Amino acid sequence: MSVNEPITSAVVTVTVNGTEGEHEVPVRRLLVHFLRDDLDLTGTHIGCDTGSCGACTVHLDGVAVKSCAVLAVQADGATVMTVEGLAGEELTPLQRSFHEHHGLQCGYCTPGMLMSASALLAENPSPSEDEVKVALQGNICRCTGYWNIVEAVVAVGKGEAA
Amino acid sequence: MSTTETTTATETTTLQKGYVGQSVPRREDKRLVEGQGVFFDDVKRHGMGYLHFVRSPYAHARIQSVDVSAALALPGVYGTLTGDEVAILTDPFFQIAADPGGQVKDYALAVGKVRYLGEPVAAVVAETRELARDAAELVEVDYEPLEVVVDARASLEDGAPVLHEDCGGNLSYTGVWEWGDVDGAFAEADHVVSISQLHFDRFNSTPLELDGALVEWNRGTGQWAITTNNQFPGFAVIMMAPAMRVGTDKLRMITQDIGGGFGNKITSHPQLVACCLLARKLNRPVQWTEWRTDFHQSMSHGNERWFLDTEVAVQSDGTMTAFRTKAIDDAGAYLRYEPLGGVIWSQVAPGMYRWRNLRLEFTQAMTNKAPVSPNRGYSRMQHLWFTERIIDIVAQELGFDRVELRKRNYVQPEDMPYETPNGCVYDSGDYPRALDLALELIGYDTVEQRRAEAVERGKLLGVGIGSTLDSGTNNFGQSQLLNPELQFSGNNEVATVKLDIFGEIVVTLGTTPQGQGHETTAAQVVADILGCDVDLVHVRAGHDSYWNSHAGFSGTYASQFAVTGLGAVKGAADELAEQMKTLASMVFQCPIEAIELADGFARIAENHEAALPFMALGAIPNANNAGFPVDPPPMNARFVFRPQFDVPDKEKKFGNLTLTYAMQIHACVVEVDPETGVYEIVDYAAVDDCGVRINPQIVEGQVMGATAHAIGAAMFESFVYDDEGNLLTPNFYDYHVPHALDMPPLKTSSVESPSPFTPLGTKGMGEGGGGGIHCVCAALQDALRAAGGALVTDSHNPYHRVWDMLRHPERSRDTVEVVKQ
Amino acid sequence: MLLREVGYARPATVEEALSLLAGNDGARALAGGQTLLNVMKQRAASPEVLVDLGKLAELRLVGVQGMTLDIGAMVTLSALMRSSEVEVSRPILAEVAATVADVQVRNRGTLGGNICVNDPTNHFPPLLVALDATMTILSEDGERTVSVEDFFVGVFETAVREGELLTRVSVPAGGGGDGMSGVTLGAHGTYIANAAASVDDGRWRIALGCVAAVPVRATLVESRLSGVDVDEADVRAAVEGLGETLDPPSDVHASADYRRSLTETSVVRAVLQAAERASG
């Protein structure tokens, strides 16, 4: 759908975690605020104001992006997956691996980490330690020092998660 | 890779061998990996208004006027709050300092003056976040800029701009701390090494979640419900309630999940008061979210500290007998938790060493920068860094081996428990053994070979040691050493454990965990005491003052949970166990000694058929209590853990200030590019000893996190101000924190030296004492020995500083002198 | 963190985009948004209208025509890394793209956006100067090509005028050898100093980032190196004195002097890298 005259608010159709919906949003609303405040999907977090920390990472049309650097209106016609959409009845092997390897402490960066890691694993099912670090380079953690997180993701690739 | 050694264990606990000591996976994880954690900004209330603070663009200015009329006229704006209103509705916050610092007037919003860039001046509440932000831009503030002072040394000089006129100057606190015979030790010294300046830089832990709250006002009861992430609610309400002229019970503090604290979420009470006033004024819930730039500009910087004119007395065999120094500490624009930093360093006055004669003149000043607050390692880290710099500089100047000098001067295991010159008691530890472990992990004996090999690649290699202490469980009586009028002493924490009507075990804590796994470790302790499966123990998430499960010092800070929090849990669980056995003995008409708790039952030890499941025990007092001649115990226990402390001697500044001393020894290898000053940590080892470890995996996680923070502070992180008081590192763009690719390989190991002073033999841990800063400094200095021999005299060593040290080694070398040969 | 009110349009064709850019005061193209949206969060810039180029598939093409590699302005940095045309014809572009920030930024951030911002610390301006790129700019009046010399004009300013759109970047396919080196604030972080070098048949193009509003050509160094087989000693000799000719900024990460020194080192390393690739 094209928008060929400037508008300040729009009705967007977006499929989030498999559910399609129509929502009116101000153009200036960031995707992360749309998810958190309009859709009550508060698993996606905000940790900075310069697009640096990655706590807001989601999948937009299957690709890991920082939802604080995308306008909600840009997600019109797209699919979005957030952390709430990862697990079905059971936690995914990735989520279980984070748990087993103590890859989270306060849990604030965790949704973003999971979204970046799951995007990596979808493309590269058995990543090396370096490949994992590159994939997580856009996700800041202040609690763990990253070592256990990297180990958790590598372990999934090796099929070690229970 | 992680290995553990245990030193001689003493019998300190009645726990059966069970969950304690195992790396039980955390129960917090499920909701967090599902994105179902509840952080304050996740909470919504009908009709809530979003708050945005108008903040000062000047570091120092008089406020001539504040005009909110344009903001109020914007559709969707619910209301505003200004400093004038705050000055009428509230009293200034209580000050810990005696005069002159005690005369600081600190309010929820700037009153009359602004004293740091980013200081909140007014607040706007609106229907949406965006509107609140827009409206904030419409508030007109007329400022008269004043001269700015950003250096604590300059702020103490005559003629410096004064921040708080009522204080008469910028001094907050000054005192001389001296023990032993310092002059005598220097007179008798074989060598005296003088170091004119050491500087510990200003940074903090930048927890990923910012501060914030959702505050609801109940007009009928006059009570506020404050859903927030403040990590020391005990301190917050002591500050807020008198200022707001209400009883502390009117302030219900609620936290659930907190996205990191590290001490940086202790002093949000001014903003919380602003939220409370607005919630009452507007009669609607008010939500405040701090943004990253706000946090960097205004919240919780770590103490910047200079150590000037240091002198160290050393015997020819390397025994260090005395040091004296002048510490100047920068508190920023307001004293909130300060000047406690002025005494807290003395918990580790001699560091890990056996100095018996010490003199430290501590002077704290205020400057036009963000107010400081505790930051991971609070005030001990700065001092321990100072002691470690002394070791390395003395070793280099006098030709001692850095390892041998440490071992010679360390407090030895046979000295434990060791009373320091100022009466603190180091409970246990084997420092030399831990050092050996760290050196083994780092491959110390291959360093010279690696150094030569690095030279082939054009790099300078260095290895450094950083030994440090993590003192935990404060005796708040130490505050009286700064201000004898204060009525604070000791410490406490609370827990409750009960059986519900269907036998469910429910635990509440007074703590406010920010990722330390309290729910899990508390459950481990309870399960072992009650003899049941750990999954049956339900620990409520977070903190709520409505639970009456807290006391004056409740919160999560200062490396104490494993002692105070788990001490309270143990106490409550022990009491509940006693109640359960008593009830079972009533039911079975047998002596209480015959009853055991095991496998989820209270049963006769000699006859397992006579067994009551927890459901039965819970039901009896709750729903089925007739027929007992004596009251059946209620299956509900509340325990206040109080560590044994005396009020310290204020005259001599002497006494036990902390219950436990965890220890970490870090070692690292760096490679420096001599052309650019760019360097990399290529190898890293950390050994920790925090006594009995309830959950080794959680402990190791804390060691890792502290290491990452220290590496960030050593290499990248600093709050840098220009002369106008502008913060040049106000967000993650310029304030670089380590990302995944910045981390070195890490090896860890543990020693367990149980504390003789705690219910479980545990020691508090988590802060980590800045060990990474100490060892990176040491490694850089070692690397530079081959290229000019500069001495590292700053805690923060970004590439440009290393480059300067390479080009001008004399600048640092000239600050050090062996005055007595 | 919260943007001011702004208008938004999402054209379906390049013509529509041009019409919107020309027809609305204060209209700005929204490419990947990784810079612009963050600038708008700080309220440091607040365009009146954002013209979202996201649907313009014709700006996302990569192709080789004869001896020229053409990259659409909206090609993301991730796409640049995955492109087989880029890998075969000018791999340095993909290598440098891989060092920009992180995956999330690269998934949205575009080559066009990176150079149109013309932030002195950005990766691609100096690299494209070294590669002698040509930019194609479209407006309602037609298409024009601009040499890389003329493209970077001033502080955050390029030759793209109001109402115009950068549509593609073209670089010679193949070439001799390319190199880029610098010092960043942490791994894959912002550049503190950098240099890009390209050699073809003994002729050098060396461009310095981070020292001025626009990339600076190190012409004296280029001429000293010209036509000569270089080893490290020769390169260092050629670079000597470069720093004194520069007037770089001082900031919290580097003094002007430190930047001068880092720039000299970056040139040496970029040149050696380029020389090695040219020979091997």
Side-chain angles (χ1 to χ4, degrees):
Chain A
M1 186 201 99
S2 82
V3 178
N4 48 26
E5 277 305 317
I7 49 175
T8 55
S9 101
V11 174
V12 298
T13 306
V14 58
T15 302
V16 182
N17 297 332
T19 301
E20 188 181 278
E22 254 184 37
H23 310 270
E24 171 127 27
V25 288
V27 155
R28 62 164 162 173
R29 182 153 300 160
L30 300 169
L31 178 61
V32 65
H33 282 131
F34 171 68
L35 294 168
R36 287 183 55 77
D37 295 341
D38 292 292
L39 300 188
D40 290 329
L41 291 168
T42 56
T44 304
H45 296 149
I46 295 174
C48 78
D49 51 15
T50 48
S52 309
C53 79
C56 65
T57 304
V58 301
H59 295 176
L60 180 63
D61 286 335
V63 163
V65 303
K66 292 173 179 173
S67 61
C68 73
V70 177
L71 297 172
V73 70
Q74 291 182 285
D76 182 38
T79 57
V80 176
M81 172 128 79
T82 70
V83 63
E84 291 95 336
L86 285 180
E89 290 294 311
E90 308 235 330
L91 295 179
T92 62
L94 177 64
Q95 288 165 312
R96 286 199 303 273
S97 192
F98 267 61
H99 174 57
E100 280 147 28
H101 292 269
H102 193 32
L104 63 151
Q105 291 180 26
C106 80
Y108 199 73
C109 76
T110 306
M113 288 286 181
L114 289 169
M115 299 317 287
S116 290
S118 58
L120 170 71
L121 290 169
E123 198 177 277
N124 181 354
S126 297
S128 67
E129 196 180 294
D130 276 335
E131 286 169 330
V132 172
K133 287 183 190 176
V134 168
L136 299 182
Q137 180 65 359
N139 292 80
I140 292 176
C141 173
R142 296 257 65 190
C143 292
T144 68
Y146 309 99
W147 290 284
N148 284 349
I149 296 175
V150 172
E151 195 179 279
V153 180
V154 169
V156 176
K158 289 184 178 162
E160 283 165 13
Chain B
M1 170 192 132
S2 185
T3 61
T4 303
E5 296 197 7
T6 312
T7 59
T8 313
T10 53
E11 285 305 313
T12 54
T13 167
T14 55
L15 296 177
Q16 68 187 53
K17 205 162 159 47
Y19 295 103
V20 166
Q22 287 190 47
S23 292
V24 173
R26 298 185 344 154
R27 54 192 45 206
E28 291 90 335
D29 290 351
K30 180 171 189 295
R31 65 180 187 266
L32 294 171
V33 298
E34 288 175 332
Q36 298 299 332
V38 179
F39 299 85
F40 82 88
D41 194 68
D42 301 340
V43 179
K44 316 232 169 106
R45 290 289 183 263
H46 175 73
M48 71 192 206
Y50 294 86
L51 185 156
H52 195 93
F53 284 107
V54 177
R55 294 173 181 270
S56 168
Y58 293 103
H60 199 194
R62 270 189 220 299
I63 300 170
Q64 307 287 54
S65 64
V66 180
D67 182 355
V68 298
S69 53
L72 284 171
L74 192 68
V77 171
Y78 294 139
T80 60
L81 187 73
T82 65
D84 286 346
E85 290 173 83
V86 167
I88 293 168
L89 296 169
T90 66
D91 293 320
F93 292 118
F94 173 75
Q95 291 298 322
I96 292 167
D99 289 351
Q103 291 303 318
V104 165
K105 305 294 182 293
D106 185 12
Y107 289 91
L109 292 173
V111 173
K113 269 183 98 170
V114 290
R115 297 174 174 90
Y116 66 95
L117 189 147
E119 180 171 359
V121 171
V124 183
V125 178
E127 199 181 326
T128 70
R129 301 182 192 273
E130 291 96 349
L131 280 173
R133 178 70 185 84
D134 291 344
E137 270 181 349
L138 298 176
V139 173
E140 283 173 31
V141 184
D142 192 12
Y143 295 100
E144 181 203 316
L146 300 168
E147 217 187 310
V148 169
V149 60
V150 291
D151 186 312
R153 296 166 298 177
S155 84
L156 290 167
E157 283 164 21
D158 288 330
V162 173
L163 274 72
H164 299 272
E165 283 88 352
D166 292 337
C167 298
N170 296 319
L171 177 71
S172 95
Y173 162 76
T174 189
V176 175
W177 302 69
E178 184 165 357
W179 309 278
D181 177 9
V182 177
D183 292 335
F186 274 94
E188 285 165 31
D190 293 328
H191 307 289
V192 172
V193 178
S194 129
I195 307 167
S196 67
Q197 179 174 300
L198 293 168
H199 175 241
F200 192 95
D201 210 345
R202 177 182 266 252
F203 68 95
N204 76 12
S205 303
T206 70
L208 199 61
E209 184 205 25
L210 289 321
D211 294 272
L214 189 150
V215 178
E216 300 165 81
W217 159 248
N218 182 322
R219 191 156 55 167
T221 60
Q223 186 176 60
W224 286 271
I226 301 164
T227 298
T228 185
N229 52 18
N230 184 296
Q231 66 181 102
F232 193 172
F235 175 76
V237 297
I238 286 172
M239 287 293 164
M240 293 169 70
M244 293 167 64
R245 304 170 189 150
V246 299
T248 55
D249 198 53
K250 293 298 186 202
L251 303 170
R252 175 182 174 189
M253 302 290 282
I254 307 160
T255 73
Q256 190 191 294
D257 294 302
I258 299 179
F262 317 114
N264 300 158
K265 287 181 166 140
I266 289 178
T267 54
S268 56
H269 54 278
Q271 288 90 337
L272 297 182
V273 168
C275 293
C276 288
L277 295 176
L278 277 161
R280 180 173 63 187
K281 178 178 178 183
L282 306 177
N283 197 31
R284 66 169 69 241
V286 169
Q287 203 270 16
W288 162 56
T289 299
E290 184 182 58
W291 304 114
R292 174 58 54 189
T293 302
D294 303 333
F295 174 85
H296 280 223
Q297 287 181 342
S298 69
M299 191 63 87
S300 304
H301 287 189
N303 296 56
E304 182 181 6
R305 191 171 299 169
W306 283 268
F307 298 90
L308 303 175
D309 302 330
T310 301
E311 289 186 312
V312 190
V314 189
Q315 299 308 91
S316 46
D317 67 355
T319 306
M320 301 188 303
T321 55
F323 73 75
R324 53 190 171 211
T325 189
K326 299 192 181 103
I328 300 198
D329 191 86
D330 186 339
Y334 290 90
L335 309 174
R336 291 188 172 149
Y337 208 78
E338 295 305 314
L340 285 180
V343 62
I344 282 174
W345 67 272
S346 70
Q347 295 171 8
V348 293
M352 290 167 72
Y353 304 100
R354 282 186 294 187
W355 275 297
R356 298 305 307 176
N357 310 289
L358 321 174
R359 179 190 160 94
L360 186 145
E361 199 178 301
F362 191 101
T363 302
Q364 187 179 70
M366 291 175 278
T367 58
N368 293 118
K369 302 196 286 211
V372 307
S373 97
N375 176 49
R376 191 172 201 166
Y378 180 44
S379 197
R380 292 99 83 222
M381 165 172 66
Q382 287 82 343
H383 190 75
L384 289 157
W385 175 81
F386 161 74
T387 63
E388 290 298 288
R389 287 289 78 228
I390 287 180
I391 298 293
D392 273 10
I393 289 173
V394 164
Q396 193 159 320
E397 293 302 293
L398 297 182
F400 288 110
D401 176 88
R402 295 173 295 163
V403 173
E404 291 315 311
L405 193 60
R406 283 186 167 82
K407 286 188 172 178
R408 172 175 292 281
N409 287 284
Y410 273 161
V411 174
Q412 299 296 321
E414 57 269 19
D415 298 333
M416 300 292 186
Y418 175 77
E419 188 180 87
T420 68
N422 59 320
C424 291
V425 181
Y426 293 0
D427 49 359
S428 64
D430 188 342
Y431 306 156
R433 176 118 150 260
L435 176 55
D436 282 337
L437 262 177
L439 295 175
E440 195 185 305
L441 286 177
I442 205 72
Y444 193 69
D445 52 0
T446 64
V447 160
E448 292 316 314
Q449 192 181 312
R450 286 193 277 171
R451 203 193 298 272
E453 185 271 323
V455 168
E456 304 282 303
R457 287 184 284 107
K459 295 283 168 74
L460 301 170
L461 185 144
V463 64
I465 298 161
S467 42
T468 197
L469 294 171
D470 199 349
S471 48
T473 305
N474 286 350
N475 172 1
F476 280 94
Q478 61 199 270
S479 65
Q480 296 183 33
L481 304 187
L482 300 169
N483 181 355
E485 308 295 303
L486 290 173
Q487 303 289 307
F488 300 113
S489 71
N491 202 333
N492 53 41
E493 190 49 271
V494 182
T496 72
V497 186
K498 64 171 178 167
L499 293 187
D500 262 350
I501 184 170
F502 294 133
E504 190 181 292
I505 307 162
V506 180
V507 178
T508 67
L509 307 172
T511 58
T512 52
Q514 321 106 34
Q516 298 93 334
H518 290 185
E519 290 161 50
T520 303
T521 52
Q524 290 174 249
V525 170
V526 172
D528 278 356
I529 290 172
L530 300 187
C532 67
D533 194 287
V534 72
D535 289 333
L536 292 179
V537 181
H538 168 60
V539 182
R540 286 209 201 134
H543 173 101
D544 189 333
S545 49
Y546 254 19
W547 299 339
N548 193 21
S549 184
H550 65 285
F553 295 114
S554 284
T556 300
Y557 56 94
S559 299
Q560 60 186 26
F561 175 72
V563 174
T564 59
L566 291 182
V569 168
K570 177 179 188 306
D574 281 342
E575 262 184 38
L576 177 64
E578 193 63 20
Q579 291 182 20
M580 290 161 75
K581 290 181 190 169
T582 302
L583 181 55
S585 73
M586 286 178 179
V587 169
F588 294 131
Q589 314 259 323
C590 69
I592 190 175
E593 296 74 32
I595 301 292
E596 68 177 6
L597 297 181
D599 299 330
F601 290 90
R603 66 189 181 198
I604 295 180
E606 310 282 297
N607 172 19
H608 294 181
E609 304 268 309
L612 285 171
F614 287 8
M615 186 187 278
L617 293 167
I620 290 170
N622 275 300
N624 194 9
N625 62 16
F628 287 87
V630 177
D631 289 345
M635 297 304 109
N636 195 332
R638 179 181 190 273
F639 189 88
V640 181
F641 172 78
R642 183 190 78 106
Q644 279 274 29
F645 284 126
D646 294 319
V647 179
D649 181 325
K650 294 173 243 211
E651 270 306 305
K652 301 191 183 124
K653 295 189 171 83
F654 186 95
N656 194 10
L657 307 184
T658 318
L659 197 63
T660 65
Y661 287 81
M663 170 230 76
Q664 293 188 18
I665 307 224
H666 291 233
C668 72
V669 177
V670 302
E671 285 189 5
V672 180
D673 180 337
E675 197 172 328
T676 59
V678 174
Y679 66 100
E680 218 190 312
I681 303 174
V682 298
D683 207 355
Y684 201 105
V687 177
D688 85 282
D689 184 349
C690 60
V692 170
R693 297 178 302 162
I694 304 295
N695 187 317
Q697 191 181 48
I698 287 180
V699 166
E700 191 193 58
Q702 293 300 308
V703 174
M704 289 172 161
T707 300
H709 269 132
I711 288 174
M715 295 183 74
F716 301 117
E717 299 178 43
S718 176
F719 286 121
V720 182
Y721 282 84
D722 69 13
D723 292 334
E724 304 304 306
N726 295 308
L727 178 61
L728 302 177
T729 51
N731 51 49
F732 278 155
Y733 196 69
D734 282 303
Y735 185 101
H736 178 78
V737 304
H739 294 233
L741 286 169
D742 292 319
M743 305 314 292
L746 175 71
K747 300 183 207 64
T748 65
S749 181
S750 285
V751 177
E752 281 194 11
S753 306
S755 175
F757 301 141
T758 66
L760 296 164
T762 55
K763 303 181 187 186
M765 61 84 63
E767 287 175 89
I773 301 177
H774 317 332
C775 75
V776 171
C777 286
L780 284 172
Q781 185 169 307
D782 185 51
L784 296 178
R785 292 190 68 161
L791 299 169
V792 173
T793 56
D794 231 285
S795 66
H796 175 60
N797 292 280
Y799 308 143
H800 69 78
R801 182 157 285 134
V802 177
W803 186 71
D804 280 335
M805 287 194 282
L806 284 160
R807 290 183 334 137
H808 295 289
E810 73 287 353
R811 286 187 185 155
S812 56
R813 296 210 48 75
D814 288 349
T815 66
V816 173
E817 208 189 323
V818 180
V819 298
K820 196 167 169 190
Q821 294 282 0
Chain C
M1 186 66 199
L2 299 155
L3 276 55
R4 289 204 182 98
E5 281 244 3
V6 64
Y8 173 86
R10 192 195 306 130
T13 66
V14 170
E15 290 67 42
E16 272 179 40
L18 290 172
S19 160
L20 285 159
L21 286 168
N24 288 281
D25 275 336
R28 273 189 78 156
L30 174 62
Q34 300 306 285
T35 300
L36 183 54
L37 291 179
N38 282 304
V39 164
M40 290 173 73
K41 280 179 204 166
Q42 300 295 320
R43 299 198 171 199
S46 296
E48 299 289 322
V49 173
L50 292 173
V51 179
D52 184 355
L53 308 179
K55 296 294 183 206
L56 304 179
E58 65 221 85
L59 299 184
R60 294 194 190 272
L61 302 173
V62 179
V64 177
Q65 300 263 39
M67 292 306 295
T68 305
L69 170 66
D70 292 317
I71 304 165
M74 283 295 286
V75 171
T76 66
L77 301 185
S78 288
L80 214 53
M81 287 165 64
R82 284 193 306 262
S83 160
S84 47
E85 285 96 336
V86 170
E87 189 184 334
V88 163
S89 53
R90 214 71 198 250
I92 189 84
L93 291 164
E95 285 162 32
V96 168
T99 65
V100 175
D102 54 65
V103 167
Q104 296 97 309
V105 168
R106 298 194 286 268
N107 284 341
R108 299 286 293 178
T110 63
L111 179 64
N114 192 280
I115 65 173
C116 285
V117 164
N118 194 22
D119 183 313
T121 64
N122 275 7
H123 293 52
F124 283 97
L127 180 61
L128 292 180
V129 170
L131 300 187
D132 198 11
T134 309
M135 320 314 186
T136 303
I137 299 174
L138 195 59
S139 73
E140 284 184 313
D141 300 327
E143 188 178 270
R144 59 195 178 91
T145 56
V146 174
S147 71
V148 79
E149 263 77 35
D150 296 333
F151 185 80
F152 299 107
V153 168
V155 179
F156 303 126
E157 202 192 325
T158 67
V160 180
R161 298 188 279 256
E162 264 191 38
E164 294 188 323
L165 206 53
L166 172 75
T167 56
R168 79 178 168 276
V169 175
S170 307
V171 296
D178 305 318
M180 186 161 184
S181 178
V183 174
T184 58
L185 190 58
H188 294 192
T190 315
Y191 270 120
I192 299 172
N194 66 37
S198 185
V199 63
D200 194 15
D201 209 19
R203 278 186 325 278
W204 285 91
R205 290 180 63 92
I206 300 169
L208 317 174
C210 304
V211 292
V214 301
V216 170
R217 287 276 297 280
T219 47
L220 186 53
V221 179
E222 290 173 358
S223 62
R224 285 174 182 165
L225 292 174
S226 181
V228 182
D229 269 340
V230 296
D231 69 10
E232 187 172 333
D234 293 332
V235 177
R236 287 188 182 279
V239 170
E240 203 172 311
L242 172 64
E244 275 98 72
T245 69
L246 303 172
D247 185 24
S250 252
D251 62 24
V252 67
H253 305 301
S255 64
D257 266 348
Y258 187 42
R259 261 203 182 82
R260 287 187 179 95
S261 175
L262 288 180
T263 303
E264 287 185 355
T265 302
S266 300
V267 171
V268 171
R269 292 176 183 178
V271 165
L272 289 174
Q273 203 182 100
E276 194 187 307
R277 287 170 187 212
S279 67

